[in-house]
Amino acid sequence: MAENDSRSPNGPGDHSRRNFLRGSGLAAASAVLTSQATAALAEAEAQVASAEPQVLSGDVNLTLMVNGKDMSCVVEPRSTLLDTLRNRLDVTGPKRVCDRASCGACTVILNGDPVYSCTTLAVSCQGKKIETVESFDTGENGVPHAFHQHDALMCGYCTPGFVTACKAWLDRHPGKEPTLEDVKRGLDGNICRCGTYIGVFEAALAVAKNQKGV
Amino acid sequence: MAAWPESTRLIGSSIPRLDGLAKASGRAKYPSDIRPEGMLFGVILSSPYASAKVKSIDLEPARKMPGVKAVLAMAQPGETTIYYQGQEIAAVAAETEEKARDAARAIKVEYEILPHVVTERQSSAPDAPKVFNNGNYRAGRAQTAGKPDEAMQKADVVIEATYELPVITHVCLEPHGLTAEWKGSDSITAYASTQSVMTVANDMVQTFGVPASNVTVLTEVMGGGFGSKFNADAWGIAAARLAKDAGRPVRMFLDRAQEHMIAGNRPSAKAHVKLGATADGKLAAMIAETSGTGGRSPSNFPLPYVYHVANRSRTHTEISVNCGGARAMRAPGHPQGCAVMEAAMDDLADKLGMNPLEFRLKNLAETDPVGGGINRTELYHEQIERGAKLIGWERWKPRGQNGDGPIVRGLGMALHQWGGGGAQDKQVACIINPDGSVELRSATQDIGTGARTILAVIAAEVLGLEVGQIKSNIGNSTFPPGQSSGGSTTTPSMAPPCLNAVTQARDELFQKLAPGLNCAVDDLTLSGGKLLVKGEEKMTWEQACRKLGVMPINTIGRFGPGLSSIGVGGCQFAEVTVDIETGVVRLKKIVAVQDTGLILDMLTWKSQIYGGVIGGLNYGMFEERIMDEGTGVMLNPDMEMYKLAGATDIPEIIVDAYDTPEMRKRGVIGVGEPPTISTAAAIGNAVANAIGVRVPKWPMSPMNVLNALAAKEGKA
Ligand code: FES
Ligand code: FES
């Protein structure tokens, strides 16, 4: 079912719907629960029960592990991961475009999962592994190289998000050579206004093929 | 003056853009990414009302808030009239963006709320409040040629229909804005997301009275403009003012909702059209009453378009609404004019019982009204033939014969044209350094078109180097005057001076080297990174340049006739399926046949065409600004309910470069705009062909399709 999760940064990920239900609190409100969602809910409840509730206010000292480095800054509890990266830590690969989880330009990889950093709180990311586009291999086997070669970018403002979504998809499907349909679904959580999709599809297919051959 | 080389090594091949890897790896620093030391974050407080008077503004609560460094009123109490939601009221700069937002929210503004009109319907209703001093609408004078009424009476077949296109917004992914940094009291640097570094610089000079020589506007890269980003704008000026007050740099970029509301839009279009033809398919007369709104900005569009109608009359009415003003948007006016004209053409062909392709060929105008008077008739014939083959037009069937449903299939087509052409007063500097490095400089910018790369392609071609060896330094207002990125004029304006600058620099180098080599200047050539004497390799490029000693070569190239030209067109075809039970349209395939001129970089050229088609596809299928008549606010100022195509919405797209020897002889032309013009028109025609009835309103959303089907069944 996650395959149909249009406009989710998790794309055709394996448990995106479950994460979504957990993350949004919708599970608790929903009257009709699939067995998968019920399991997710139970898991979430267990997590909540085991964790002490924490109330944060004012300025918070925060250390985030970004691209393998510990980075410290002061944020507010409401500060998003995106704004923290961009405004406090000068990690400006992820872009702020819609700021409402609709466009994917802010996508980062959090503990292996692609997430929209514009709708993720920075304080919730402590102790997690944050990977942004800046950390990706820029060599010939990397996703950025493929985007460059296939001109999968014009103004390039959406590009870090597409590259990140693409990298996350490949990481989650090692050795799989995707079809064009797979690629389209995998990148359906991202929007490009310049209209570079054709190049993006070519780049994604090429890099998958290339990596499979490695 | 230089001429384009006859045979080329690089020009016209596929060369990845110079800044592509920096962009794709997140390393490129956009204006919105730049953070000078001590930078503050700026926020604009916008009016929540569409129509109001500002009675009072109290900035004090904001000033008192922690972290706030400067506050500025942008509206004047007792004076300022609010004409649209989002209009600027005040601006704040604070240590963090969160604090700046809080402070903006804390500003106390008293409004006298006035009645508003936010849709064309509301504005022109008989009992509408008159909210604009000069009235809500202004009917233009009829533009008449021949004897339209008489000719219409004599026409064998006449259609009468109303077509409508909504207001759409630019949705540049990087919001409008800049970061302003003062250096001393009369010197300013702005990192601006702009299509014209020179215009932004001039705005700063005019506003602050600082010497032009003390203003620097930098746009290394930027995240999309599409016609909406030429000026510093009120918010950019506010950033500079706040920066001055606070004594620290200020970053000011709009939020997404403000982008939709105040940063520009493409005007709507409505056309009531009567179009008549003779029984053998010759256009006889057109009578059109059109209107549109661009807020309080003009909304006009070309009509008739592409086709020749000898007897015609047209009246256009400008409707004002309480919404943000229109700005140029990718081929201003043309997508509207094209959609209206091409819809009417198809409807008339249907009534005539003619194949719409044949009908079009019979009626092409011999003088291209926008493209420098070129007779495009033959070009169109050839392009249509190619496009028809690529889409499989032989499968075309008349309306109503495309399946019994629920899934029906349709084909449609449309033609476009554009002027473009180059400005003749722009310059490029070429510097050849003694260490062999080569730099180009100009105050133009690359808004995603590949401008940076094509300049380097030209230099590398002439100097026998690789593209990566050329530093293409643009996006700096202090460099020799460059073209604004608009109107598909950048390449035709900048490529000629670039070719001239580099050719002159090369010739100067030859002049300096020839005596030492005991040869004539004419004996020297450059190829493969080497200097050749009479065709024989003599030394490397670097060795040759070292002979310059300490003096670089520095030339300025200017425009040269014959290197670029005006007038560009093409045709597009669309294939769709429509589910007549749900109204859902799926695009199957789009074919775009496009004039090329002399292509400099095939890779970025193709991206331009794909991008244009996808822009047009959005216009045809998804985009629409939705205003709430009751409250006067925009209902979809976001990227969720303001729909744009995602990956799964993209059909097969075939780009066919109409790249002929004649085309190349024309020199370079710009193609940023032309390919976006006819897509929505072709899609609309394909939908009509599929379902057997015209959907008179764009976009081809399920609702608009179902309404058209219901109207056909008399259930409207
Ligand atoms: S900015 Fe986060 S999804 Fe658009
Ligand atoms: S490249 Fe400009 S938005 Fe995608």
Side-chain angles (χ1 to χ4, degrees):
Chain A
M1 73 196 250
E3 294 286 326
N4 301 323
D5 227 1
S6 169
R7 297 287 152 81
S8 150
N10 295 328
D14 309 309
H15 55 283
S16 61
R17 177 77 57 146
R18 198 169 79 183
N19 275 352
F20 174 70
L21 286 167
R22 271 166 45 185
S24 66
L26 263 187
S30 172
V32 195
L33 291 176
T34 64
S35 58
Q36 194 189 11
T38 315
L41 182 58
E43 197 184 315
E45 276 170 352
Q47 254 180 23
V48 168
S50 69
E52 283 291 305
Q54 235 186 321
V55 179
L56 298 170
S57 67
D59 289 342
V60 183
N61 285 305
L62 187 67
T63 301
L64 295 178
M65 217 242 276
V66 185
N67 299 331
K69 265 193 294 196
D70 278 340
M71 297 182 139
S72 298
C73 62
V74 176
V75 299
E76 294 185 49
R78 60 176 162 162
S79 300
T80 64
L81 174 59
L82 177 65
D83 288 352
T84 303
L85 289 170
R86 289 180 57 79
N87 295 345
R88 295 337 198 260
L89 302 175
D90 213 17
V91 177
T92 55
K95 303 293 187 233
R96 192 168 84 191
V97 171
C98 70
D99 214 14
R100 292 287 185 281
S102 316
C103 79
C106 63
T107 305
V108 304
I109 303 178
L110 189 64
N111 277 354
D113 288 330
V115 299
Y116 291 145
S117 64
C118 69
T119 36
T120 302
L121 290 177
V123 290
S124 73
C125 298
Q126 290 196 84
K128 296 187 182 163
K129 200 174 147 206
I130 301 162
E131 288 168 81
T132 72
V133 64
E134 286 100 326
S135 69
F136 300 171
D137 172 14
T138 54
E140 289 199 354
N141 290 320
V143 182
H145 176 80
F147 271 62
H148 180 211
Q149 294 304 309
H150 292 269
D151 209 37
L153 54 111
M154 291 184 75
C155 81
Y157 210 70
C158 69
T159 312
F162 273 98
V163 167
T164 306
C166 188
K167 163 88 160 51
W169 193 94
L170 292 166
D171 287 354
R172 285 167 156 228
H173 301 86
K176 175 168 165 145
E177 204 177 317
T179 63
L180 178 60
E181 281 315 302
D182 291 336
V183 165
K184 285 187 177 180
R185 278 203 298 270
L187 299 177
D188 212 21
N190 295 65
I191 287 177
C192 172
R193 182 48 151 166
C194 296
T196 59
Y197 292 103
I198 303 294
V200 168
F201 301 157
E202 283 175 10
L205 289 169
V207 74
K209 192 167 190 169
N210 197 8
Q211 288 193 352
K212 202 179 155 231
V214 167
Chain B
M1 283 287 146
W4 292 114
E6 287 284 317
S7 70
T8 58
R9 179 175 53 100
L10 296 169
I11 287 178
S13 62
S14 286
I15 296 161
R17 60 185 73 216
L18 283 180
D19 46 15
L21 192 61
K23 286 177 173 182
S25 62
R27 283 165 178 71
K29 286 281 183 190
Y30 288 76
S32 55
D33 296 334
I34 285 166
R35 195 173 65 156
E37 187 61 31
M39 188 188 83
L40 301 171
F41 294 83
V43 165
I44 297 283
L45 174 66
S46 271
S47 167
Y49 305 112
S51 179
K53 285 256 185 230
V54 177
K55 286 165 68 181
S56 70
I57 303 177
D58 183 4
L59 301 176
E60 280 318 300
R63 286 216 170 88
K64 287 200 209 102
M65 296 192 52
V68 173
K69 297 294 169 193
V71 187
L72 177 80
M74 296 175 74
Q76 300 317 315
E79 283 174 30
T80 302
T81 303
I82 300 299
Y83 286 111
Y84 46 87
Q85 180 200 16
Q87 194 172 321
E88 305 85 355
I89 303 294
V92 179
E95 296 283 358
T96 70
E97 205 169 359
E98 291 88 343
K99 289 191 167 76
R101 271 191 225 131
D102 284 352
R105 220 172 287 139
I107 293 169
K108 289 209 176 71
V109 189
E110 253 188 288
Y111 296 94
E112 180 193 341
I113 301 171
L114 302 171
H116 60 254
V117 290
V118 291
T119 61
E120 300 85 324
R121 193 196 72 87
Q122 207 176 21
S123 185
S124 45
D127 56 347
K130 294 280 165 262
V131 300
F132 300 101
N133 289 339
N134 52 354
N136 293 0
Y137 49 93
R138 291 181 310 285
R141 257 190 286 143
Q143 309 282 319
T144 307
K147 296 191 171 141
D149 291 316
E150 225 172 89
M152 194 66 81
Q153 295 227 311
K154 284 198 205 131
D156 298 314
V157 180
V158 176
I159 58 124
E160 184 167 1
T162 303
Y163 308 105
E164 283 179 76
L165 294 116
V167 172
I168 68 168
T169 68
H170 297 72
V171 201
C172 314
L173 289 206
E174 181 175 41
H176 287 63
L178 55 78
T179 296
E181 181 177 25
W182 288 90
K183 299 184 171 155
S185 64
D186 66 349
S187 183
I188 185 169
T189 297
Y191 305 89
S193 184
T194 183
Q195 298 176 240
S196 179
V197 288
M198 289 182 53
T199 309
V200 174
N202 189 48
D203 288 346
M204 292 293 172
V205 171
Q206 298 298 325
T207 308
F208 295 101
V210 290
S213 53
N214 287 3
V215 175
T216 306
V217 175
L218 299 173
T219 305
E220 174 76 19
V221 288
M222 59 85 79
F226 314 106
S228 66
K229 281 186 182 167
F230 288 104
N231 288 88
D233 286 317
W235 45 86
I237 298 297
R241 282 195 206 287
L242 291 168
K244 192 154 213 183
D245 287 357
R248 287 165 65 178
V250 171
R251 176 195 287 177
M252 177 78 79
F253 285 81
L254 298 183
D255 65 29
R256 186 49 51 187
Q258 289 169 330
E259 276 290 307
H260 281 291
M261 295 185 295
I262 65 178
N265 55 68
R266 173 184 287 167
S268 64
K270 183 171 183 174
H272 183 78
V273 180
K274 266 174 100 173
L275 191 65
T278 57
D280 63 348
K282 268 280 186 194
L283 284 174
M286 173 184 233
I287 299 173
E289 272 163 46
T290 64
S291 62
T293 186
R296 286 191 300 152
S297 306
S299 69
N300 215 336
F301 51 89
L303 191 76
Y305 191 68
V306 172
Y307 306 102
H308 178 66
V309 199
N311 302 289
R312 59 183 192 265
S313 109
R314 183 204 176 182
T315 323
H316 185 74
T317 302
E318 293 288 356
I319 302 175
S320 293
V321 294
N322 289 110
C323 299
R327 294 183 177 193
M329 183 168 182
R330 227 168 169 175
H334 283 235
Q336 297 97 308
C338 180
V340 167
M341 186 77 206
E342 292 286 20
M345 289 296 285
D346 251 39
D347 290 352
L348 185 52
D350 179 59
K351 203 163 175 186
L352 279 160
M354 278 184 78
N355 186 316
L357 187 152
E358 303 300 332
F359 180 52
R360 282 180 168 78
L361 291 179
K362 280 188 174 216
N363 288 289
L364 294 167
E366 286 182 3
T367 46
D368 173 342
V370 296
I374 295 173
N375 182 350
R376 292 195 57 86
T377 322
E378 229 173 275
L379 279 175
Y380 276 139
H381 272 266
E382 287 173 27
Q383 293 180 341
I384 288 171
E385 197 180 314
R386 283 164 74 148
K389 200 172 276 169
L390 289 166
I391 197 82
W393 191 261
E394 73 281 354
R395 295 174 298 142
W396 179 87
K397 292 199 196 92
R399 287 182 191 174
Q401 298 179 24
N402 287 292
D404 300 329
I407 307 290
V408 292
R409 195 171 272 269
L411 289 171
M413 65 178 291
L415 313 187
H416 62 257
Q417 58 189 218
W418 182 252
Q424 315 208 346
D425 53 355
K426 300 305 184 284
Q427 301 174 8
V428 172
C430 176
I431 302 157
I432 298 177
N433 289 303
D435 66 354
S437 60
V438 180
E439 185 182 351
L440 302 172
R441 289 184 174 182
S442 183
T444 187
Q445 51 286 307
D446 190 335
I447 64 168
T449 58
R452 169 174 285 115
T453 306
I454 57 155
L455 297 183
V457 168
I458 294 168
E461 180 81 52
V462 174
L463 300 177
L465 299 172
E466 292 308 315
V467 179
Q469 289 175 270
I470 312 295
K471 181 167 181 185
S472 193
N473 202 352
I474 56 174
N476 183 328
S477 66
T478 68
F479 288 166
Q483 181 71 344
S484 302
S485 303
S488 303
T489 61
T490 316
T491 303
S493 303
M494 301 310 302
C498 179
L499 179 68
N500 284 327
V502 179
T503 308
Q504 281 169 48
R506 182 199 61 190
D507 293 349
E508 263 185 48
L509 178 70
F510 286 171
Q511 271 155 23
K512 292 208 163 127
L513 296 177
L517 293 165
N518 288 322
C519 67
V521 168
D522 286 349
D523 294 337
L524 296 174
T525 49
L526 290 164
S527 169
K530 303 275 186 335
L531 177 77
L532 285 68
V533 181
K534 292 188 182 161
E536 256 179 57
E537 276 181 25
K538 202 72 188 177
M539 61 183 88
T540 65
W541 165 258
E542 286 76 15
Q543 286 165 337
C545 293
R546 219 168 289 146
K547 301 212 178 293
L548 291 170
V550 293
M551 280 298 285
I553 289 173
N554 192 342
T555 58
I556 294 279
R558 292 170 198 276
F559 191 81
L563 297 174
S564 62
S565 64
I566 190 169
V568 45
C571 63
Q572 293 189 14
F573 293 78
E575 179 174 358
V576 302
T577 58
V578 186
D579 182 331
I580 54 171
E581 280 168 7
T582 62
V584 171
V585 177
R586 293 296 296 181
L587 298 171
K588 290 288 149 202
K589 184 168 173 177
I590 294 176
V591 169
V593 185
Q594 179 61 48
D595 282 9
T596 59
L598 174 72
I599 293 177
L600 294 167
D601 180 348
M602 184 56 93
L603 198 56
T604 57
W605 186 89
K606 275 206 169 154
S607 289
Q608 286 270 55
I609 314 304
Y610 283 129
V613 167
I614 290 168
L617 170 169
N618 277 317
Y619 192 39
M621 296 286 294
F622 303 113
E623 287 185 77
E624 183 169 19
R625 182 185 75 185
I626 304 168
M627 299 303 300
D628 183 51
E629 293 189 343
T631 58
V633 306
M634 182 174 173
L635 292 175
N636 55 346
D638 50 43
M639 291 181 68
E640 187 172 14
M641 300 314 289
Y642 189 97
K643 299 283 183 198
L644 290 171
T648 50
D649 299 310
I650 304 300
E652 180 188 4
I653 301 174
I654 296 183
V655 168
D656 183 41
Y658 186 73
D659 189 8
T660 62
E662 292 74 44
M663 268 289 158
R664 290 174 187 212
K665 275 200 210 103
R666 303 180 58 198
V668 296
I669 57 175
V671 290
E673 282 158 313
T676 207
I677 295 170
S678 55
T679 323
I683 291 171
N685 284 341
V687 171
N689 179 244
I691 66 174
V693 61
R694 167 67 49 191
V695 178
K697 264 187 176 183
W698 277 262
M700 296 295 123
S701 63
M703 185 175 76
N704 287 341
V705 171
L706 290 176
N707 283 344
L709 284 165
K712 174 176 135 189
E713 286 159 21
K715 288 189 247 159

